[in-house]
Amino acid sequence: MATQQVFWYASVTAQALLVLHLLRHGLFRRYRALTMFLIASLLRSAVILPLDVHSREYFVTWRATEYVIVFWLALVACEVFYLSLRNYRAGAVEWAYMFAIAVALGVGISLALTLIDGDPLGHWERLHHPVLVLRRCALTVLLVFLVALDAHCRYRPPVESVNLFRHRLLAIAYFGQLTLAQFIITAGRASWIPMVNMIALPISALCFLGWMLALGPDGEYMERVITTPERIADVEGRAAEFENFMRSHSPWGR
C-alpha cells in the first residue's frame, strides 16, 4: 500500500471516529452541518478508495461528488457563523461589508492563481478545470470569512460556549490547510499532487482528532471566560449602551 493511501485511510478513520463521537454525545444536534459533511465525505471515500487513482472512474466519481463536498463545506462555515452570532447580533451593514471583502479577496486571489503557469495541463486537468476553480474560490471565500468572523468575535467577544470557540478555531485550521493545498497544486506542477496530499491528509486527520478531543458534552455548558479588564469593561459598556437604547426606543421605557 502506498504511503499516500495510508494517510488517506488514517484521515477516513479519524472522520469516522469524529462522527461516532458526535453521535455518542448528542453533539450532532448542535453541529449538524459538520456531521453531515463528515458523513458525505465518508460515503465518498467508501466509493472512490477501492478505485485506482489513475483510472477514469476515479476522476469521474471525484468530480461528481466534489460539488456535494463543497456544498457541505459552505454549510459548515455558515453554521459556525450562525452559532457565533446567535447570542450577539452585529450590524447588518457591518457584516455585509465583511462578506463582500471576503468574496472579493477569495475570487481575486483564485483568479490570479489561475493565470499562473505550471506544468501544461493534461487531459484530466483540462476536463475538471471548472471544478478546481469552484473549489479554489469557495475555499478561499469561506476561509477569509471565518477568519474575519473570528477576528470580530475577539474584538467584540460574544457569550459563547467553550465548544463553539474551539470549533471555530478548528474550522479555520481545516479550511486553511485545504485552501493552502489547493493553491500549491494550482501554482505548482501536477507532479506535486501526491506530495501535497501526503502533507495535507495527516493535517486533516489531526483536525478531525482535534475536533473529537475539543468538543465535549461539558463544553456546551461552559462559557468562554473573558479575563482581560479591557474586554470586561467593553462588554459591560456595550451592555449598558444596549440597555439605554432599549429604554429610549421602547414605549415601556419612556
Side-chain angles (χ1 to χ4, degrees):
M1 183 182 297
T3 306
Q4 182 177 343
Q5 285 185 308
V6 173
F7 288 143
W8 198 349
Y9 279 108
S11 179
V12 170
T13 302
Q15 290 183 58
L17 291 175
L18 177 55
V19 170
L20 292 176
H21 177 77
L22 294 173
L23 294 176
R24 177 186 176 187
H25 296 288
L27 296 173
F28 68 94
R29 297 184 182 91
R30 183 171 176 85
Y31 306 103
R32 296 178 182 178
L34 175 63
T35 305
M36 291 305 300
F37 160 70
L38 293 170
I39 293 175
S41 182
L42 286 172
L43 293 176
R44 177 203 209 182
S45 299
V47 173
I48 65 176
L49 269 177
L51 302 176
D52 181 10
V53 295
H54 301 292
S55 65
R56 178 175 178 81
E57 292 78 10
Y58 174 91
F59 295 122
V60 170
T61 306
W62 180 88
R63 180 184 63 175
T65 55
E66 185 62 20
Y67 295 103
V68 179
I69 297 300
V70 171
F71 170 76
W72 281 112
L73 281 173
L75 288 187
V76 170
C78 292
E79 183 178 65
V80 174
F81 170 82
Y82 168 74
L83 293 175
S84 298
L85 298 182
R86 186 172 60 174
N87 297 325
Y88 170 68
R89 301 295 182 184
V93 176
E94 183 178 7
W95 279 106
Y97 277 120
M98 188 177 297
F99 183 75
I101 292 173
V103 172
L105 288 176
V107 175
I109 295 174
S110 299
L111 293 180
L113 285 178
T114 305
L115 302 177
I116 298 177
D117 293 327
D119 277 353
L121 295 178
H123 174 72
W124 178 79
E125 285 82 2
R126 289 197 302 268
L127 183 63
H128 299 80
H129 187 65
V131 181
L132 297 176
V133 172
L134 169 66
R135 177 182 174 85
R136 186 165 58 250
C137 290
L139 287 175
T140 307
V141 169
L142 296 174
L143 174 62
V144 176
F145 190 62
L146 285 175
V147 172
L149 171 64
D150 185 67
H152 185 277
C153 290
R154 290 174 182 272
Y155 176 69
R156 293 183 175 180
V159 177
E160 62 182 4
S161 66
V162 174
N163 274 359
L164 178 56
F165 174 69
R166 296 170 178 172
H167 176 46
R168 188 168 60 242
L169 294 182
L170 285 166
I172 292 174
Y174 183 69
F175 277 84
Q177 64 89 14
L178 289 178
T179 307
L180 181 61
Q182 189 65 46
F183 281 171
I184 293 175
I185 292 175
T186 304
R189 300 174 178 272
S191 59
W192 292 7
I193 296 179
M195 178 189 67
V196 173
N197 287 337
M198 289 178 61
I199 298 175
L201 288 173
I203 297 177
S204 295
L206 290 176
C207 288
F208 297 136
L209 292 177
W211 261 307
M212 188 173 64
L213 295 175
L215 301 182
D218 295 336
E220 288 298 308
Y221 306 100
M222 296 172 56
E223 293 183 357
R224 186 164 66 96
V225 179
I226 305 171
T227 56
T228 61
E230 293 79 7
R231 290 188 176 182
I232 294 176
D234 181 61
V235 172
E236 293 176 348
R238 284 188 286 110
E241 291 178 1
F242 178 76
E243 184 177 355
N244 293 333
F245 175 83
M246 293 301 295
R247 287 178 178 177
S248 60
H249 290 77
S250 172
W252 294 277
R254 294 178 181 177

